[in-house]
Amino acid sequence: MEQYLVTGMSCAACQARVEKAVRSVKGVDNCSVSLLTNSMGVEGTASPDEIIKAVENAGYGASLKFEDKKNESSFSKKISSEEEALKDKTTPKLKKRLFTSLAFLIVLMYFSMGHSMFGFPLPVFFNDNCIAIGLVEMILTIVIMVINRQFFISGFKSLIHRSPNMDTLIALGSSAAFVYSTVILFIMTRAQADGDTTRVMNLMMEFYFESSAMILTLITVGKTLESYSKGKTTNALKSLMKLAPKTANVIRDGKETTIPIDDVKVGDVFVVRPGENIPVDGTVIEGESAIDESALTGESIPVDKVAGNMVSSATLNQSGFLKCSATKVGEDTTFAQIIKMVSEAAATKAPVARLADRISGVFVPVVILLSIITFTIWMIIGQTIGYSLARGITILVVSCPCALGLATPVAIMVGNGMGAKNGILFKNAEALQETGNVQIVALDKTGTITSGQPKVTDLFAEKDKTIFDLLKTAYAMETKSEHPLAKAVTKYAEEQKVELYEASEFSSLSGSGITATVNGEKCYAGNRKFIEKFAVVPQSSIEKAEELSSEGKTPLFFAADGSLIGIIAVADTIKEDSPKAIQELKNMGIHVVMITGDNEKTAKAIGEQAGVDEIVASVMPNEKEKIISELQKHGKVCMVGDGINDAPALTRADIGMAIGAGTDVAIDSADVVLMKNKLTDVSSAIRLSRKTYVNIVENLFWALIYNTCLIPIAAGAFVWAGLTMDPMYGAAAMSLSSFCVCMNALRLNLFNIHNPKRDKKRNNSIKVGESGKILLAETKGESNMNVKTMEIKGMMCPHCEATVKKALEAVEGVASAQVSHVEGKAVVTLNSSVEDSTLKQAVEAKDFTVVSIS
């Protein structure tokens, strides 16, 4: 997306005109204009020159947001450009205009109303000299009009380009009042010459100089308040940009040198002292420290970093000295990607904004037409020119397309900023709006519900043995093994500070177990079937292993010299916050589905612990997208995942969420990026989306109801009830409308996105069965298919299951395979005829033994 700065826009009508002009350029696929940030995002093949020319032809100005596109690595320049674009330059100018206007307006009001209504004294020269008073009022009004000339320049320029905007309404209203009053002043001069004192006094009551000046001043008051509150809505993004590092301390030629951040290259070694920000993404190669990552994740608790750990740009080194190697620099850093996502999201539009855009496109011309019609009707009825003109002017100045145009973008900007502060990044405004509408959340198990790393969960020693005996043997043996479960055992032993004994004569039997000699004893480790060949396994141990298996854990048996030492259970444990997060989703009325490649038994154990509504087990990575497609038949689906294999499913889902920052591929495929590895951020994202949408609706309602109610009053439709409006009051009302919209959006900053107390359970229209599960009709196409059951030896853990499953499902004609290492079986579903020998060959090619096929 190419981004541009747009100048000259003052209301939603301007925004709609610019968008229409750019969309008409050949080669433009999509265009989104933001009145809030005065920016424009354009997608397509059209050249910048063509786009800028189209904007200028529409009566506005445009320029590329980043002029130095050729220098892609100039990240600091782009940040500076972004900061400059977001800098509030308008409010100081408006304040100056406002205070100067007020100074002259006070004098004008003293002459026009203070003297005539309250009898305030005037210099002797003005006593009974109505012409002199009229001339002073005209001169003061001219001064105020010159001070606020921008309304007239923009308004009449837009009118010439046949794209009237809010400034056009103000310019027409103020000009009409001024011209009418000037004409009255000339008529009064004639009456004075004729000696008609009574008529002179009556004509003086027809002056609208103060209305003309008051309209301009009050609108400037509104513009100042609006500009100030608009500036506040971008505070989150501006705060993020202030964290951008400017320099880095790198080691080159053995010396430490401070260089600009743009000069850091991948592979450079840099040092960071306590109190300094990490300049670029890197890997710690020396030192230990606590890093404050709140700028990226919103997590206030510092994270300990040691050699081998990753560090991210813009995070704060709190305690120790670190020496790191740069892995990502410039625009590739995590911090740069966050800035890019939040910035681009601000330049996009939510679907709900389309209604406001359609109204804004015709709003101003309709208001001008209504003003003319109102003036004409009152003249036909028989009212004076002054009265009729006042009604027409009031319609012009009370109508506010600005509030309509700001209703959506201010809420989107604040919502995006709130998300960014809490480590939740919405890639565009549509994602921010639609996330709150999801009905089904599909969670990938590994790395999302669970930690993704096998851990030791239980230790069970035989009566004549101790836990120490068990760990001593297990540590010595598993240190030699490369199996993922072995790594979990060795890590646990290291944490318990178990002494490492030397293991000799080590031998690994693929898919079964390992043997080694420890302290002169012949030791064995593996699954139950393997251990039973070398040692007697008591019934109590068998029952314990079955109990552990039913909980989704993998029991590893350890024996020495013919007797069992004990069992160590290893499992991919669920995260601490997973049950809470899933319960929060259910409390919102969302159906939660867990998708996993594990067998039914393991999946059920994890699913029950987590509290999900439904489990889809034995799913291959390439089947996840198909599962999401099936779920979409029942409602809007949000897929949450973290890996490369989740990318197709994340893309297929209505809303894709990459959790824990995930892989680069997952982030690219997702609509929402959760920087923290917390599942509760899924419910927080949905909560924020719903609150932002409510805020947008409130803003739109205010803008529409304001115009709907006040335009008829301004036209004099309720004069029979004594309800009418002066142009000055109309200008005051218009000023407040935009300010109210902006202030309402700023209320979002007070919203606690992590607090589930006010969550409301939405009525979910998805169809569920009697068991509370979605009717996934033949999700995996298993009806009317042949099923074969294979008895297989050698499987000892979920990884073995995955290997067998993958091998079987690679065979042509196999629809799916459900494998259990606990039962030593594989249930194979066929969609065409497959020979038993073919299935057997596929499994035994992976070093497992097929006992039978039935």
Side-chain angles (χ1 to χ4, degrees):
M1 180 186 284
E2 192 79 70
Q3 293 198 47
Y4 297 80
L5 294 174
V6 182
T7 57
M9 294 193 298
S10 61
C11 69
C14 299
Q15 178 181 288
R17 300 289 177 188
V18 172
E19 212 164 271
K20 185 178 179 182
V22 175
R23 284 181 187 275
S24 65
V25 176
K26 190 176 180 181
V28 172
D29 298 327
N30 190 29
C31 171
S32 180
V33 180
S34 172
L35 177 65
L36 178 65
T37 56
N38 290 317
S39 63
M40 173 175 67
V42 181
E43 293 176 359
T45 56
S47 70
D49 290 339
E50 290 177 302
I51 290 165
I52 291 169
K53 187 179 178 182
V55 175
E56 288 174 347
N57 289 341
Y60 304 91
S63 61
L64 273 169
K65 204 170 193 179
F66 308 116
E67 294 289 353
D68 60 336
K69 274 298 274 189
K70 291 179 181 177
N71 187 3
E72 291 293 343
S73 65
S74 185
F75 172 62
S76 61
K77 288 183 181 178
K78 292 196 175 185
I79 287 290
S80 298
S81 179
E82 283 276 14
E83 285 185 301
E84 190 64 23
L86 289 173
K87 193 175 179 182
D88 188 1
K89 302 170 190 172
T90 309
T91 304
K93 291 178 183 176
L94 284 171
K95 279 183 181 177
K96 188 177 179 182
R97 264 171 57 183
L98 174 61
F99 292 134
T100 312
S101 297
L102 281 171
F104 285 99
L105 181 67
I106 290 168
V107 179
L108 173 59
M109 295 304 290
Y110 186 94
F111 273 90
S112 64
M113 298 181 77
H115 174 65
S116 60
M117 293 178 66
F118 304 106
F120 292 165
L122 288 175
V124 178
F125 173 76
F126 292 101
N127 288 343
D128 301 321
N129 192 344
C130 296
I131 302 297
I133 292 173
L135 282 169
V136 169
E137 288 184 23
M138 183 178 76
I139 291 167
L140 288 169
T141 303
I142 290 171
V143 172
I144 292 171
M145 291 173 81
V146 171
I147 292 168
N148 295 283
R149 60 189 176 278
Q150 191 57 43
F151 289 124
F152 300 95
I153 294 169
S154 172
F156 290 123
K157 187 179 178 182
S158 297
L159 197 60
I160 291 166
H161 283 91
R162 292 181 295 176
S163 56
N165 57 19
M166 189 196 80
D167 288 345
T168 308
L169 299 179
I170 305 306
L172 287 174
S174 180
S175 298
F178 178 79
V179 170
Y180 175 75
S181 301
T182 304
V183 171
I184 293 296
L185 182 59
F186 279 104
I187 295 171
M188 184 191 289
T189 306
R190 179 59 186 239
Q192 181 82 27
D194 293 341
D196 193 344
T197 309
T198 304
R199 192 177 179 209
V200 169
M201 294 301 295
N202 290 335
L203 285 169
M204 191 172 179
M205 302 307 293
E206 292 288 317
F207 281 159
Y208 280 97
F209 285 124
E210 76 282 356
S211 291
S212 178
M214 183 67 83
I215 287 168
L216 295 172
T217 307
L218 286 175
I219 296 299
T220 304
V221 170
K223 283 280 186 185
T224 305
L225 292 173
E226 178 192 316
S227 178
Y228 177 76
S229 55
K230 276 166 66 178
K232 289 288 184 185
T233 64
T234 58
N235 276 358
L237 185 52
K238 286 186 278 194
S239 299
L240 270 178
M241 288 179 177
K242 285 177 184 175
L243 297 172
K246 302 293 188 295
T247 60
N249 299 320
V250 301
I251 296 176
R252 288 183 178 171
D253 300 324
K255 295 180 180 178
E256 184 179 323
T257 310
T258 301
I259 62 172
I261 198 71
D262 293 332
D263 293 342
V264 181
K265 297 179 175 62
V266 174
D268 277 350
V269 175
F270 62 89
V271 296
V272 189
R273 293 176 174 78
E276 294 179 348
N277 282 341
I278 309 290
V280 294
D281 289 4
T283 305
V284 179
I285 55 178
E286 187 182 311
E288 296 180 9
S289 183
I291 303 295
D292 179 1
E293 297 184 337
S294 58
L296 302 187
T297 65
E299 186 63 66
S300 58
I301 301 172
V303 180
D304 292 329
K305 300 288 183 180
V306 296
N309 289 160
M310 301 294 293
V311 290
S312 298
S313 172
T315 55
L316 179 66
N317 180 15
Q318 288 193 332
S319 52
F321 177 88
L322 292 177
K323 185 183 284 186
C324 311
S325 175
T327 55
K328 290 181 181 179
V329 300
E331 289 188 306
D332 295 327
T333 63
T334 305
F335 176 72
Q337 292 301 310
I338 290 173
I339 294 291
K340 184 182 177 184
M341 272 190 254
V342 177
S343 180
E344 288 189 352
T348 60
K349 281 191 178 177
V352 72
R354 289 166 194 157
L355 169 65
D357 287 346
R358 284 196 292 270
I359 296 171
S360 300
V362 297
F363 187 87
V364 175
V366 167
V367 167
I368 293 172
L369 185 62
L370 277 174
S371 177
I372 295 168
I373 291 171
T374 300
F375 172 78
T376 306
I377 289 173
W378 282 113
M379 287 296 291
I380 292 171
I381 290 172
Q383 278 289 356
T384 63
I385 294 177
Y387 183 88
S388 303
L389 191 63
R391 302 284 68 75
I393 291 170
T394 308
I395 286 179
L396 289 174
V397 298
V398 82
S399 308
C400 190
C402 209
L404 205 57
L406 287 171
T408 302
V410 288
I412 292 293
M413 178 60 86
V414 178
N416 262 317
M418 279 289 290
K421 280 198 296 185
N422 289 279
I424 300 169
L425 306 177
F426 296 91
K427 283 195 177 177
N428 50 55
E430 185 172 358
L432 179 54
Q433 178 184 322
E434 293 301 324
T435 297
N437 295 327
V438 297
Q439 298 165 288
I440 304 163
V441 170
L443 303 171
D444 175 51
K445 189 209 79 173
T446 307
T448 303
I449 293 177
T450 65
S451 62
Q453 296 293 329
K455 292 181 181 177
V456 171
T457 58
D458 301 86
L459 294 101
F460 174 74
E462 286 300 307
K463 292 178 182 178
D464 58 335
K465 304 290 182 182
T466 65
I467 295 296
F468 173 77
D469 294 328
L470 176 61
L471 277 175
K472 179 190 71 173
T473 304
Y475 189 21
M477 295 183 73
E478 299 292 15
T479 300
K480 301 275 187 177
S481 175
E482 292 298 319
H483 198 283
L485 299 187
K487 286 181 170 56
V489 173
T490 55
K491 185 179 179 183
Y492 181 80
E494 287 167 358
E495 289 171 354
Q496 300 302 312
K497 302 192 183 312
V498 176
E499 184 181 351
L500 177 61
Y501 288 81
E502 181 62 34
S504 59
E505 299 176 8
F506 178 84
S507 176
S508 176
L509 304 175
S510 180
S512 297
I514 57 176
T515 64
T517 300
V518 180
N519 276 354
E521 292 182 315
K522 191 67 176 178
C523 300
Y524 307 90
N527 61 22
R528 177 182 147 198
K529 287 184 180 179
F530 176 75
I531 294 297
E532 283 177 337
K533 295 176 185 177
F534 308 99
V536 176
V537 179
Q539 185 60 34
S540 60
S541 296
I542 294 172
E543 289 172 358
K544 183 66 178 176
E546 288 174 350
E547 179 189 331
L548 292 168
S549 295
S550 67
E551 295 171 1
K553 301 169 183 175
T554 300
L556 302 176
F557 291 76
F558 293 87
D561 286 343
S563 64
L564 188 70
I565 302 173
I567 301 170
I568 296 179
V570 179
D572 182 8
T573 55
I574 67 170
K575 298 175 188 173
E576 288 184 12
D577 69 328
S578 290
K580 178 189 174 187
I582 289 164
Q583 189 57 51
E584 285 182 9
L585 291 171
K586 290 163 77 172
N587 291 343
M588 290 176 168
I590 295 169
H591 190 84
V592 185
V593 179
M594 183 181 84
I595 300 175
T596 177
D598 290 344
N599 62 63
E600 287 283 353
K601 196 171 185 180
T602 303
K604 188 178 179 183
I606 296 290
E608 285 177 352
Q609 287 180 57
V612 297
D613 293 306
E614 189 165 347
I615 300 161
V616 185
S618 303
V619 178
M620 289 295 286
N622 58 356
E623 292 179 319
K624 289 181 182 179
E625 185 182 5
K626 184 180 176 184
I627 299 294
I628 296 299
S629 297
E630 287 293 330
L631 289 170
Q632 284 176 317
K633 295 176 183 177
H634 303 274
K636 285 198 170 183
V637 179
C638 170
M639 169 68 190
V640 185
D642 68 334
I644 293 173
N645 59 11
D646 296 321
L650 290 169
T651 305
R652 169 67 63 184
D654 297 288
I655 293 293
M657 284 192 190
I659 190 169
T663 62
D664 289 343
V665 176
I667 289 172
D668 289 341
S669 305
D671 302 293
V672 183
V673 179
L674 309 177
M675 297 302 296
K676 288 178 279 187
N677 202 20
K678 286 188 174 181
L679 195 56
T680 45
D681 278 353
V682 176
S683 54
S684 296
I686 293 170
R687 198 174 291 120
L688 176 60
S689 171
R690 289 182 177 182
K691 185 67 176 177
T692 303
Y693 182 73
V694 168
N695 195 277
I696 290 171
V697 171
E698 287 170 352
N699 286 346
L700 285 172
F701 174 78
W702 164 254
L704 289 169
I705 206 73
Y706 162 86
N707 284 296
T708 304
C709 293
L710 292 193
I711 289 176
I713 295 171
F718 299 99
V719 71
W720 53 270
L723 195 59
T724 186
M725 186 183 291
D726 186 271
M728 289 186 288
Y729 297 129
M734 182 187 187
S735 299
L736 284 173
S737 62
S738 297
F739 177 67
C740 290
V741 164
C742 291
M743 292 307 293
N744 186 52
L746 286 171
R747 286 193 311 115
L748 276 173
N749 284 314
L750 305 175
F751 179 62
N752 183 357
I753 69 171
H754 301 298
N755 186 358
K757 290 182 179 179
R758 294 188 180 181
D759 288 346
K760 291 183 180 178
K761 194 166 188 173
R762 289 190 177 180
N763 290 327
N764 218 334
S765 59
I766 61 173
K767 185 181 179 183
V768 296
E770 292 179 5
S771 62
K773 293 180 171 57
I774 293 178
L775 302 178
L776 285 173
E778 312 302 341
T779 297
K780 303 178 81 173
E782 296 178 1
S783 65
N784 301 318
M785 293 185 181
N786 293 323
V787 177
K788 292 189 178 186
T789 303
M790 304 175 67
E791 187 178 342
I792 302 170
K793 275 190 174 182
M795 296 188 296
M796 61 176 292
C797 69
H799 296 84
C800 300
E801 287 178 4
T803 303
V804 172
K805 181 179 173 65
K806 187 175 181 180
L808 286 170
E809 292 185 339
V811 175
E812 189 176 347
V814 174
S816 66
Q818 293 188 19
V819 186
S820 170
H821 76 278
V822 178
E823 298 174 2
K825 290 181 181 179
V827 179
V828 185
T829 305
L830 310 175
N831 52 25
S832 63
S833 179
V834 180
E835 294 293 330
D836 289 355
S837 58
T838 305
L839 296 175
K840 183 177 181 181
Q841 186 180 352
V843 173
E844 293 189 341
K846 300 297 180 183
D847 296 327
F848 298 98
T849 305
V850 177
V851 178
S852 64
I853 301 177
S854 58

